[in-house]
Amino acid sequence: MAVAYLLFYKTSKPVDILTQLRAYKERELDRSPPAGLRHARILTGTDGKSVAFYTEWDDAEGLEEMRDSVPWEACIDINDVHADSHEEKVFEIA
């Protein structure tokens, strides 16, 4: 079943997180998309204090492989330094 993944950050430094997510998306996902990736988007909150990373996958296995990758873990570690909090959610696409 297809899934959507949403990673949501609250931060006083949205530009830092936006920069890291954009670099990850361009270097990893756009250049060599992993199997099962349908779509990836980076969203910025109208509140000026939030950033979200949204992806759609053919199935949960593709998502988990991406989340277990070294580049993804490095991106998350850097983002956690700049974030006040973050939340991850996985949704089934109806």
Side-chain angles (χ1 to χ4, degrees), residues 44-55:
T44 56
T46 57
D47 61 1
K49 296 182 181 186
S50 57
V51 178
F53 181 65
Y54 173 84
T55 56

Side-chain angles (χ1 to χ4, degrees), residues 27-40:
R27 274 192 322 261
E28 300 296 326
L29 300 183
D30 292 347
R31 287 185 186 170
S32 181
L37 177 67
R38 291 181 174 186
H39 192 72

Side-chain angles (χ1 to χ4, degrees), residues 1-84:
M1 173 167 283
V3 296
Y5 172 68
L6 181 65
L7 175 59
F8 182 77
Y9 288 99
K10 286 296 240 178
T11 179
S12 57
K13 299 178 181 181
V15 172
D16 294 341
I17 291 175
L18 179 61
T19 300
Q20 290 300 318
L21 288 172
R22 185 176 290 136
Y24 174 79
K25 181 181 175 298
E26 291 173 359
R27 274 192 322 261
E28 300 296 326
L29 300 183
D30 292 347
R31 287 185 186 170
S32 181
L37 177 67
R38 291 181 174 186
H39 192 72
R41 284 203 169 142
I42 300 168
L43 311 168
T44 56
T46 57
D47 61 1
K49 296 182 181 186
S50 57
V51 178
F53 181 65
Y54 173 84
T55 56
E56 291 182 8
W57 299 85
D58 288 340
D59 53 43
E61 287 97 25
L63 169 60
E64 287 309 310
E65 285 181 26
M66 185 270 303
R67 290 173 66 191
D68 286 339
S69 72
V70 172
W72 176 248
E73 290 177 0
C75 179
I76 293 299
D77 289 346
I78 292 170
N79 286 344
D80 283 344
V81 169
H82 300 289
D84 298 331

